[in-house]
Amino acid sequence: MLAEVQALVGHSGARGATPGSPRVLTPPGSAWCLAVLQRREAEFKVGKSDVYAATVGGVRLTEPSVDLAVALAIASSVANLSLPQGIIVVGEVGLAGEVRNVAGVPRRVAEAEADGFRQAIVPVARPAVQVLIPR
């Protein structure tokens, strides 16, 4: 299954919001990824921000393979940069920020290629690298 992950990080305008405690919505790994990003990157400051992460269409993703996609979606929102079109991201993010392999990466990449994707960011040993899918 392929699903698009999106994130939005914005200054909190809610009354009564506790500074330093961003709100995070689904997928379940979003809070985990946000904590790792804040811990690993000194420049990654979202303490007074609201952080929203979701899948397009409300698809519920519960496996760790979505962690890296969530982390990149959050980071791209903070940096105000978009990831390129036609790219898939698969990988688990550990507490130390390492990217871990997940089951079925070749199958997932093949499925994405059949759907027209031409680039993938997947864990290969360490660190995660960008892999071009051959035509």
Side-chain angles (χ1 to χ4, degrees):
M1 172 193 296
L2 296 173
E4 183 177 340
V5 177
Q6 297 179 337
L8 176 64
V9 179
H11 183 71
S12 179
R15 294 178 189 207
T18 306
S21 59
R23 291 171 285 186
V24 182
L25 304 179
T26 59
S30 299
W32 177 287
C33 293
L34 180 59
V36 170
L37 286 169
Q38 288 183 85
R39 179 75 175 156
R40 298 276 303 164
E41 297 297 324
E43 302 298 317
F44 198 86
K45 296 180 175 40
V46 293
K48 294 183 180 179
S49 299
D50 289 333
V51 179
Y52 302 95
T55 56
V56 173
V59 176
R60 185 160 171 79
L61 302 174
T62 58
E63 64 175 298
S65 64
V66 74
D67 289 355
L68 186 56
V70 170
L72 285 175
I74 293 170
S76 71
S77 180
V78 169
N80 200 27
L81 297 171
S82 296
L83 291 173
Q85 292 282 337
I87 191 167
I88 66 160
V89 180
V90 178
E92 180 180 0
V93 176
L95 282 176
E98 75 278 13
V99 177
R100 298 179 182 160
N101 205 1
V102 295
V105 171
R107 175 185 49 81
R108 294 169 198 251
V109 170
E111 181 182 332
E113 182 180 16
D115 285 342
F117 290 84
R118 294 291 170 246
Q119 294 181 318
I121 298 177
V122 297
V124 177
R126 288 192 189 147
V129 297
Q130 183 174 9
V131 178
L132 298 177
I133 299 172
R135 292 185 183 232

